[in-house]
Amino acid sequence: MTNEEKQLLTGVRELGYELSPTQVASLLSYLEHLDITNRSFNLTRIPREDYVSLHVLDSLTALTCLPDSDHLSLLDIGTGAGFPGVPLAALLPSAKITLLDSTAKKVRFAADTANSCGITNCVGLHARAEALGHDPKHRERYDVVTSRAVAAFSTLIELMLPLVRVGGRVIALKGARADEELSGTESLVSELGGGPAETRIVAIPGTDIHRQLVVVEKLRKTPGKYPRRK
């Protein structure tokens, strides 16, 4: 067993989950493809030795905030190199994961590579979240919308909540300054149809980093003017 395999298995176990040999192989294959592609096309600044902890395990902290359902529809805004969407898809084979990014090459890499590595419940979508929020095919259609390190919370929540169905939730993966970002956003969140923001702190296994997960439940429909076009 390689060090990466041990790190992955141990880390996922610390989060309260187990991986099958097939899931381990799929995730490690995805990381290998990411490393190779990253040499010619800048997908991530994280060094190769930290891919498991700072990409996969970090992404999987969101599992602790997901609703208890086997057939979730999940949209990952600003997926970039596929995080957190691809690791979540690997752990949730019955979910339908849509990987959204405004850069076509990133979307193609994430969705095509995931599928080639056996993570077949991902689809890529090349679009801007501002526009997607006004598209009837996507507006208020998803059970969960996630995003990692895309924008400040006040900007992000306006992009995320219009895409979540009433009764669903958004999960924003934020850093140590999450409380500062949340300050003064209560009225906006309420206007968008969201309930009070709840912050859950989860340690990223194998590191001294704590991920702050901001969860907002969708209580009411979002007014049609949101998201405002920039």
Side-chain angles (χ1 to χ4, degrees):
M1 183 181 292
T2 67
N3 287 334
E4 277 200 332
E5 286 178 282
K6 292 177 184 177
Q7 185 183 11
L8 184 56
L9 286 165
T10 301
V12 171
R13 195 169 292 126
E14 283 184 31
L15 291 171
Y17 299 88
E18 295 289 338
L19 289 174
S20 70
T22 299
Q23 288 170 320
V24 171
S26 292
L27 284 166
L28 293 182
S29 177
Y30 187 85
L31 296 184
E32 183 62 26
H33 281 83
L34 173 59
D35 184 46
I36 293 169
T37 306
N38 198 53
R39 297 170 195 172
S40 56
F41 175 51
N42 184 28
L43 289 166
T44 180
R45 297 178 183 176
I46 290 175
R48 177 70 177 89
E49 60 269 22
D50 293 329
Y51 279 9
V52 170
S53 58
L54 299 186
H55 274 322
V56 177
L57 297 178
D58 181 23
S59 296
L60 294 179
T61 61
L63 288 170
T64 62
C65 301
L66 289 178
D68 186 16
S69 173
D70 290 333
H71 298 282
L72 291 172
S73 61
L74 185 150
L75 175 69
D76 184 27
I77 289 180
T79 195
F83 304 106
V86 171
L88 290 174
L91 269 287
L92 303 166
S94 297
K96 180 180 179 181
I97 310 290
T98 301
L99 306 172
L100 173 69
D101 204 277
S102 60
T103 302
K105 287 183 179 180
K106 291 180 179 179
V107 169
R108 284 197 297 269
F109 166 80
D112 292 351
T113 304
N115 278 266
S116 71
C117 293
I119 305 169
T120 58
N121 54 330
C122 287
V123 295
L125 182 58
H126 174 223
R128 297 190 66 85
E130 296 94 326
L132 208 67
H134 292 283
D135 184 339
K137 294 180 181 178
H138 296 277
R139 185 179 177 88
E140 298 189 322
R141 297 291 184 179
Y142 295 92
D143 299 316
V144 178
V145 174
T146 60
S147 191
R148 184 181 79 149
V150 169
F153 182 77
S154 58
T155 299
L156 196 55
I157 196 65
E158 187 173 331
L159 301 177
M160 298 175 82
L161 271 175
L163 290 159
V164 182
R165 66 170 180 81
V166 174
R169 68 184 62 169
V170 305
I171 304 172
L173 285 73
K174 306 299 293 184
R177 301 177 66 179
D179 289 345
E180 293 178 34
E181 291 190 36
L182 288 172
S183 178
T185 63
E186 295 86 354
S187 60
L188 174 61
V189 173
S190 179
E191 170 71 9
L192 291 165
E198 176 187 350
T199 302
R200 306 180 191 181
I201 301 174
V202 180
I204 300 175
T207 77
D208 58 0
I209 301 170
H210 287 76
R211 173 60 74 186
Q212 298 206 39
L213 300 146
V214 180
V215 182
V216 177
E217 302 285 344
K218 179 80 169 272
L219 304 180
R220 301 173 301 280
K221 284 185 171 292
T222 300
K225 68 178 181 180
Y226 295 110
R228 289 168 289 188
R229 298 182 188 276
K230 306 300 182 182

